[in-house]
Amino acid sequence: MPKSAFKRLLGMAIGLLATTQAVAATLVVGDQSFNARTVLEAAGLLQDLPYTLEWKQFTAGSPVAEALNVGSLDVGLLGDAPPLFLGALGAPIKVIGISQQNREGVAILVRKDSPIKTLADIRGKSAAIWKGSWSQQLLFTALDQAGVTRDQVDLRYLGALDASHALEGGSVDVIATWEPYVTQQELNGARVLATAEGLIPAQTFVVATHQAIAEKRELLGDFLRRLYQARQWAASDPAHSERYADTWAELSRADRDVARRWFSRAAIQVLPITEQRIAEAQRTVDFFSSIDLIKRYPAKTLFDTSFNQYLQTPASAAKAQAAR
């Protein structure tokens, strides 16, 4: 066989092998209650994947963090506290992207007939929160600003679902919680005393393991880019948001009205990692360190900014390339 023909055949074989490997590659994703999967499906961004997405669904962020820590996931989506806690322990993970929703979706609520009108009125009342979460950070920060000491509140440590039931049943006076429980409570007539706006960052992180970053970087980048595009699609048109909400409600067996109201105001975006967002993460680390839940450490060590390139618009990418 001529040498040139052999080289062509060898090149074709290598290309075929690379394509086969790409198709056979799998990215294991830790999602919460079908949220990311639903928006990607609704936006039509799962139709041409050159690799397989294996979804694992969770009901809270802590088990997503645990699965990442033991390596049973490649990437997961979860609130900032669990990965920041893992960062304090030196876990083999990195934050590769930020997901941010309207901070009105993290709130302190009371029943519609409650005599509590201000944060100061919580003094002497009972409040349900979840330790090591947005709800604890929000309530404690709000009480500090209102001049109410923590020992002046009867704290009950309940998960978000149990806290909602406790508020409805009257066994607690106040809850600090997040979506979709905020929207559910509002539709039931609950009043909002304060939201995370201006009080806590309430960031959500896209977190990958060190191994996945080393072995599946292109897959992670492609997934992050598709998630970014799906969030843009959902926020670009009320009809898109409704389609996303209806699909999610059907999959999760949730109330459609709750889903539509939540997603319409959430305006969820996938964002690059910036110094400001790292500084906000440091605020969260400092808060939980101040109540002795974790040791203080530089949050910056937990972030990998190299994935920002997958979230650039064509114009910003060209500008970044020209600056090199």
Side-chain angles (χ1 to χ4, degrees):
M1 178 183 294
K3 186 177 293 186
S4 59
F6 176 77
K7 286 183 177 179
R8 283 198 301 272
L9 285 174
L10 180 61
M12 291 171 61
I14 292 172
L16 180 61
L17 177 61
T19 302
T20 302
Q21 287 176 333
V23 171
T26 298
L27 195 67
V28 185
V29 182
D31 194 10
Q32 288 193 57
S33 301
F34 300 96
N35 204 312
R37 176 180 169 180
T38 301
V39 74
L40 284 161
E41 287 182 348
L45 288 166
L46 295 182
Q47 296 174 359
D48 60 344
L49 281 172
Y51 53 92
T52 299
L53 280 182
E54 181 182 330
W55 295 97
K56 293 190 177 182
Q57 297 297 333
F58 299 83
T59 57
S62 294
V64 178
E66 293 169 10
L68 284 163
N69 190 37
V70 300
S72 60
L73 298 175
D74 294 317
V75 61
L77 297 98
L78 62 168
D80 55 7
L84 289 173
F85 276 46
L86 284 181
L89 301 174
I93 60 170
K94 290 286 185 182
V95 179
I96 63 171
I98 307 288
S99 178
Q100 183 76 65
Q101 64 176 302
N102 189 316
R103 290 183 178 89
E104 291 181 3
V106 183
I108 299 171
L109 302 116
V110 297
R111 290 183 299 280
K112 60 182 177 182
D113 58 350
S114 172
I116 299 172
K117 305 299 182 184
T118 68
L119 290 167
D121 295 336
I122 298 176
R123 186 181 286 106
K125 305 298 184 180
S126 58
I129 57 173
W130 187 243
K131 187 176 289 187
S133 73
W134 288 341
S135 66
Q136 184 178 31
Q137 187 180 8
L138 175 58
L139 182 68
F140 283 14
T141 302
L143 291 178
D144 289 347
Q145 288 200 4
V148 179
T149 60
R150 294 159 195 174
D151 60 3
Q152 291 177 312
V153 180
D154 178 15
L155 296 172
R156 314 279 180 84
Y157 292 99
L158 300 174
L161 179 59
D162 290 337
S164 285
H165 291 327
L167 184 69
E168 292 166 358
S171 57
V172 297
D173 302 305
V174 179
I175 64 171
T177 192
W178 51 82
E179 295 288 17
Y181 304 103
V182 171
T183 295
Q184 287 174 345
Q185 289 300 322
E186 286 182 309
L187 289 175
N188 288 337
R191 289 185 288 108
V192 173
L193 289 183
T195 71
E197 187 63 45
L199 290 175
I200 67 171
Q203 299 184 107
T204 297
F205 292 158
V206 184
V207 181
T209 65
H210 288 178
Q211 183 174 355
I213 291 171
E215 299 176 359
K216 303 180 181 181
R217 173 175 287 274
E218 291 303 317
L219 273 64
L220 287 170
D222 182 76
F223 173 76
L224 192 62
R225 180 173 58 243
R226 288 171 190 266
L227 187 61
Y228 165 76
Q229 293 171 342
R231 292 301 186 192
Q232 284 194 317
W233 170 86
S236 67
D237 188 320
H240 294 174
S241 178
E242 286 190 0
R243 190 190 312 171
Y244 167 34
D246 292 349
T247 304
W248 179 80
E250 183 177 352
L251 270 175
S252 61
R253 300 180 181 180
D255 186 293
R256 191 184 72 167
D257 291 339
V258 169
R260 284 190 169 193
R261 178 166 173 168
W262 169 18
F263 293 145
S264 67
R265 75 172 175 185
I268 304 171
Q269 300 177 62
V270 176
L271 304 166
I273 298 166
T274 63
E275 289 299 322
Q276 179 184 347
R277 294 181 184 114
I278 293 173
E280 290 178 339
Q282 189 66 59
R283 283 175 53 202
T284 298
V285 168
D286 294 346
F287 166 78
F288 286 114
S289 174
S290 73
I291 58 174
D292 298 324
L293 288 187
I294 61 172
K295 68 177 183 179
R296 190 180 187 280
Y297 70 100
K300 190 170 186 176
T301 60
L302 194 62
F303 290 82
D304 184 340
T305 60
S306 69
F307 286 86
N308 285 354
Q309 63 180 305
Y310 296 100
L311 304 178
Q312 291 179 326
T313 63
S316 61
K319 184 178 180 181
Q321 183 67 31
R324 288 173 185 166

